[in-house]
Amino acid sequence: MVARRMVGAVVIACGLVGCGSAVEVEESRTLGTQVAELSSPNGRNLNGRNLNGRNLNSTELGQMLVSVRFAGAERAGAGTAALSNTWLEGSVLHGATSQGVVSGMDLLGARFVGELGSGDTVPLRIDDIQPATGASADVWVYRVSYYAADEGMWKPACPAADGSALGAIALTGRWDYRQGVAGGGAKIDDAQAFTFACEGAALAKCVRFGYRPWAGSVDGQSLGELHQACTRMVRADFCGDGTSYTADGNWVNLYDASGVQQDSESWSLEAQWDAAGARCRSQTTRAGTQAVSCSSGATVPTCGPSSSFETGTLLMSEVPVAPY
């Protein structure tokens, strides 16, 4: 594969609970307004350190929503009807009823069963749907809430810093949210489940960068693999074990050889990435003075030339030569 340097997405890391101005939204703003702001192409965008979204804000739950079951969904309306089957085509949800197939906006108000990290379940409801438009023609966004039984109310499954609701992109499969262990941060191809990827966190952010995992391949490279490599890169998961080493306020530029993201900065190479983590890293990384300790005990070699795109590297990341 011939390496081509393209205009890249420059991102800045934020804290574990959210991303400052990028996610502090007012109640009066529509989902469409939020989507338009979050889907601006390229440029210096904010991203979180979490693989996906936020913990559920309930004193009873206090746990992460890790996946959503396809089974057990119900369509809203007079006499709520069970969906005999649900599935994803791209990021669009579909369901089967006794009267036929429903899809897209038909699923407004539909309820699903969410899986928590503890193995417990929680009711989910689709409160708003933003159909795809323009350059992101296949990226649909959902606003989802969960039922907090202890409070007797529905609350955002993807809350912003101020408690208002962020949108989410539906992705097939689920992810391993553990840190510091083999398999941490990996995608799990589970045909029985999907993930509501909260805007502003790594899973959705990498879709916004153009790595739409449902869209096949580009220039011979799987977009699914590029998306997974991107989630490792965004979180500075150098060891590929789910541990994030990014520090708040640090800039990073990313690019690939497939024509999705281009290199827009003359910065210093930080690392080369594939779906399993960093294939190599330089001495200067977003970890700063924090020691990067990989549980495998393996050392990551110093990065080589850009021709590494031809030998398995999917993405490259760069950091500023001097404080930006």
Side-chain angles (χ1 to χ4, degrees):
M1 183 185 301
V2 178
R4 293 180 292 174
R5 301 186 65 147
M6 315 289 300
V7 177
V10 181
V11 298
I12 182 171
C14 331
L16 286 167
V17 296
C19 302
S21 61
V23 297
E24 292 175 1
V25 295
E26 299 176 359
E27 291 286 347
S28 60
R29 283 167 52 191
T30 66
L31 179 59
T33 300
Q34 295 177 41
V35 169
E37 293 173 354
L38 287 163
S39 60
S40 299
N42 297 322
R44 294 179 175 85
N45 298 289
L46 293 167
N47 65 273
R49 294 173 63 185
N50 276 357
L51 182 60
N52 182 44
R54 323 292 187 263
N55 289 333
L56 297 179
N57 294 333
S58 165
T59 55
E60 177 182 300
L61 297 174
Q63 302 168 40
M64 178 172 280
L65 176 68
V66 297
S67 65
V68 186
R69 294 177 181 174
F70 280 118
E74 296 179 334
R75 185 187 179 192
T80 302
L83 295 169
S84 59
N85 187 25
T86 56
W87 65 94
L88 273 170
E89 293 180 10
S91 61
V92 183
L93 282 162
H94 300 261
T97 71
S98 57
Q99 286 76 42
V101 172
V102 293
S103 64
M105 297 302 294
D106 296 331
L107 291 172
L108 184 62
R111 298 191 181 188
F112 289 83
V113 178
E115 298 271 5
L116 300 176
S118 65
D120 296 329
T121 62
V122 63
L124 300 176
R125 184 182 68 193
I126 295 179
D127 296 324
D128 196 6
I129 302 175
Q130 180 67 32
T133 58
S136 300
D138 56 349
V139 183
W140 284 52
V141 178
Y142 304 84
R143 182 179 288 159
V144 183
S145 61
Y146 72 96
Y147 187 70
D150 62 325
E151 300 177 59
M153 63 186 296
W154 291 89
K155 303 182 72 173
C158 294
D162 64 357
S164 60
L166 293 173
I169 302 169
L171 301 176
T172 58
R174 55 191 174 90
W175 274 260
D176 187 335
Y177 299 110
R178 296 176 300 164
Q179 299 182 26
V181 297
K187 182 177 182 179
I188 301 170
D189 292 320
D190 185 347
Q192 307 302 314
F194 68 98
T195 296
F196 277 124
C198 300
E199 295 274 23
L203 295 180
K205 185 60 103 173
C206 289
V207 172
R208 293 298 183 192
F209 288 157
Y211 304 123
R212 296 152 22 253
W214 59 81
S217 63
V218 58
D219 199 22
Q221 180 59 58
S222 164
L223 281 164
E225 290 186 356
L226 282 165
H227 179 268
Q228 180 59 21
C230 176
T231 67
R232 300 286 193 188
M233 186 286 306
V234 164
R235 302 181 63 252
D237 182 3
F238 297 111
C239 300
D241 63 3
T243 302
S244 173
Y245 286 97
T246 189
D248 293 352
N250 286 348
W251 292 96
V252 61
N253 177 45
L254 73 142
Y255 57 97
D256 58 69
S258 301
V260 179
Q261 289 292 336
Q262 305 175 355
D263 184 9
S264 62
E265 307 294 333
S266 298
W267 290 356
S268 175
L269 179 67
E270 177 195 45
Q272 296 175 5
W273 304 86
D274 60 20
R279 292 165 58 87
C280 64
R281 64 175 183 267
S282 302
Q283 291 185 343
T284 302
T285 70
R286 283 166 285 162
T289 58
Q290 179 184 7
V292 178
S293 177
C294 297
S295 59
S296 64
T299 58
V300 181
T302 302
C303 290
S306 60
S307 60
S308 296
F309 276 131
E310 301 172 12
T311 58
T313 292
L314 299 180
L315 296 175
M316 292 195 187
S317 60
E318 296 177 335
V319 293
V321 175
Y324 199 77

